[in-house]
Amino acid sequence: AAPLGAEDERTLPSIVVYVTREGADKPNIGDATPAPTETPAPTDEPTQTPTETPAPTGMTLEVTADGYEPGIWTNNPPVFALSGIPEGSDEYVYGVFVCNERLILLAKDTDSYVPTEEGLTSVRFAILDMMGDVVALSDQYDLMLDLSAPDGPYLSGVDYCDTVCYIEAYDSLSGLSDISYDEGETWEPYIEYEDGLSIVGEKGDTIEAGTIWVRDIAGNISVNAEEFT
């Protein structure tokens, strides 16, 4: 016998107790493995519905440039004729990108554009849908427009010499090209010397208004507005 107070090291059998309702089948005690659960069949992933209509394919923008001469100053803007939008369509408009920064939308049924912005600029033409998306884009057209007449000519003299007439004129875009002293009958290059441009006459001579003309490189002309004596 083990000593009194010593720990009983014997192992007791495990006891499983089942509670059953009356009339129910008694479970098989030896079957302790739970029945496997059925794995549900996989479902198809939902198809994403597109929220935007893709841009139409095959739409081509054609540009006809009448009077376009790249690299040349002009006072005669070219006319750009546009085509590509189906006739009668209300879904698209033509647009003009100026210097790739500013967008000009043309009015409905307008299929031509005449630039009016002076200086060195560029334009690109586009077809846009009603959402503002570009569906066709043209090449870039570089422009050199000078639509303004030169400033002047102004005639002046000095007190110490009454036989000399000084001429001043300015042009901030294309620059001055020619001058005429006979109302445009003949022309010679406009050369502004260090002492300025001048003509010499006789004392008491009068230069009538409209006698002296100046022309810029683009072809704009202005004349002296006042007579000089």
Side-chain angles (χ1 to χ4, degrees), residues 176-196:
L176 295 171
S177 174
D178 309 293
I179 185 169
S180 172
Y181 301 101
D182 53 10
E183 301 181 10
E185 292 292 331
T186 59
W187 294 88
E188 58 184 73
Y190 186 95
I191 301 175
E192 190 169 356
Y193 300 97
E194 183 177 351
D195 296 333

Side-chain angles (χ1 to χ4, degrees), residues 197-214:
L197 191 63
S198 62
I199 55 177
V200 179
E202 298 292 335
K203 185 177 180 179
D205 286 349
T206 298
I207 301 176
E208 301 292 340
T211 300
I212 298 179
W213 297 13
V214 290

Side-chain angles (χ1 to χ4, degrees), residues 79-94:
V79 178
F80 294 96
L82 312 176
S83 61
I85 296 179
E87 185 176 356
S89 174
D90 293 328
E91 300 178 2
Y92 307 99
V93 294
Y94 294 112

